[in-house]
Amino acid sequence: MSFVEYGDTIKDGDTAIVFLGHESMFPVKVQHGTVTQTKYGVIRHSTDLIGKRYGSKVICSKGGWVFILHPTPELWTMNLPHRTQILYSTDISIITMMLELKPGSIVCESGTGSGSLSHALIRTVAPSGHLYTVEFHQQRAQKARDEFREHGVEHLVTVTNQDVCKNGFGVSNIADAVFLDIPSPWEAIGHAKSALKAEGGRICSFSPCIEQVQRTCLAMEEYGFTEINTLEILLRVYNVRTVSLQIPDLGKAAEDNSSTGLDSSNPSHQGNPCANLQQGTVQFKSGVPLREVVGHTGYLTFATKS
């Protein structure tokens, strides 16, 4: 199993996603002799998982069922163990596009955190690219190394435990892109410039506060970066529901419609709005935004090395 090389069957040692529903799923490490408890009953790894195809429907001991999915960076973002605050797919998609990443790209990242963005970057630059990720916290750095090894992507990533603001990324003039998610990104702009290739490299900084953005932009200008711009990505979700509205009195046009002889009791007319004229309402599908919307996550500042 690898997050960048998809397999068909579940093997001992794989990380799989147990899917109970769109709002309920969790990761599990598949091991011989192990069982996993769910609200639908027990899943026995030896008989229910190992050797089965990814995407299979697994019947639990209580008669309910779950689906076993192959892990992807998107599913991992939704289910990973949180060691820090993470980036979600809405911001990650813009980051990978605006940094112009592709297979073969070299990327520097700080900090690694819980590895949400790291997995997406690795999948994007595979199979010939590489991610150099720096984490200040020693235990988080070691945990990230262990996860990358378990997920079959350790050959595509180098994890370094050091302070990027003081010691940089450990590489020079090779990176196509640099990403910063640290409290004081302006202190690492010089090291980011040194890590980037001679010309045209891209940099992105994620900061939750506008004061951080201001200081970072000033540092980017000082080090000669161009095309500096800041984005804020807000996700707005809509609910689709049935809405009933009263039919307005249109005078003769309404009389003409009623004279066509439509019978509302006839099943063939039940899907026709004109069939509801006698009731005075018409039903249709409409998209309605949620009353509570997830708000600000952070600002994304992008720039180009001149």
Side-chain angles (χ1 to χ4, degrees):
M1 184 278 304
S2 171
F3 273 53
V4 296
E5 298 174 0
Y6 299 103
D8 292 328
T9 59
I10 305 170
K11 300 180 177 63
D12 186 21
D14 282 3
T15 297
I17 305 297
V18 179
F19 181 89
L20 291 81
H22 289 289
E23 302 297 329
S24 179
M25 62 185 88
F26 59 89
V28 62
K29 185 172 182 179
V30 180
Q31 293 178 310
H32 270 296
T34 302
V35 298
T36 297
Q37 296 283 350
T38 74
K39 64 182 180 180
Y40 300 127
V42 172
I43 301 173
R44 295 174 176 83
H45 293 200
S46 299
T47 57
D48 297 333
L49 299 184
I50 297 176
K52 300 291 182 63
R53 292 181 64 86
Y54 278 107
S56 297
K57 181 179 181 180
V58 174
I59 306 299
C60 302
S61 62
K62 293 181 180 179
W65 64 83
V66 298
F67 291 95
I68 308 299
L69 306 181
H70 195 291
T72 65
E74 292 79 12
L75 289 174
W76 186 245
T77 291
M78 298 170 63
N79 296 282
L80 59 79
H82 285 233
R83 300 183 288 273
T84 60
Q85 182 59 266
I86 69 170
L87 289 175
Y88 290 91
S89 297
T90 306
D91 289 315
I92 291 173
S93 61
I94 295 295
I95 292 168
T96 55
M97 183 189 74
M98 295 293 288
L99 290 182
E100 302 174 1
L101 302 182
K102 59 185 182 299
S105 296
I106 305 297
V107 186
C108 292
E109 175 197 26
S110 183
T112 312
S114 301
S116 173
L117 175 64
S118 303
H119 282 81
L121 295 177
I122 291 169
R123 196 261 307 271
T124 302
V125 304
S128 55
H130 201 83
L131 172 66
Y132 295 89
T133 182
V134 178
E135 174 56 51
F136 175 79
H137 193 276
Q138 183 178 3
Q139 292 178 330
R140 287 201 295 263
Q142 185 57 48
K143 184 61 177 177
R145 291 191 191 98
D146 295 340
E147 283 183 350
F148 293 142
R149 189 180 305 111
E150 291 178 3
H151 298 164
V153 296
E154 71 276 8
H155 61 292
L156 296 169
V157 56
T158 299
V159 182
T160 305
N161 173 220
Q162 64 186 27
D163 186 351
V164 70
C165 296
K166 295 180 179 179
N167 306 114
F169 293 94
V171 297
S172 299
N173 302 320
I174 65 169
D176 297 289
V178 170
F179 176 80
L180 298 174
D181 183 6
I182 54 178
S184 53
W186 56 89
E187 296 180 0
I189 299 300
H191 294 297
K193 183 177 181 180
S194 299
L196 286 168
K197 59 187 181 181
E199 186 178 5
R202 295 278 286 167
I203 184 174
C204 174
S205 173
F206 176 90
S207 297
C209 301
I210 195 63
E211 292 81 6
Q212 293 171 303
V213 174
Q214 292 170 329
R215 295 188 65 175
T216 302
C217 289
L218 291 175
M220 288 178 175
E221 289 182 343
E222 180 181 348
Y223 281 95
F225 283 89
T226 60
E227 300 178 338
I228 302 171
N229 63 88
T230 300
L231 306 177
E232 181 184 23
I233 311 302
L234 299 177
L235 180 64
R236 191 177 189 187
V237 180
Y238 281 77
N239 275 339
V240 177
R241 65 183 189 185
T242 301
V243 178
S244 296
L245 291 180
Q246 185 175 4
I247 297 177
D249 183 4
L250 301 179
K252 189 175 185 302
E255 295 176 1
D256 292 341
N257 287 335
S258 61
S259 65
T260 58
L262 290 177
D263 183 3
S264 60
S265 63
N266 190 332
S268 63
H269 297 151
Q270 289 180 359
N272 191 323
C274 295
N276 296 323
L277 286 174
Q278 292 183 356
Q279 286 75 26
T281 61
V282 62
Q283 294 184 335
F284 61 93
K285 297 292 184 181
S286 176
V288 181
L290 301 180
R291 292 184 178 182
E292 295 184 1
V293 180
V294 177
H296 171 76
T297 57
Y299 300 102
L300 294 169
T301 301
F302 297 92
T304 304
K305 184 177 179 179
S306 176

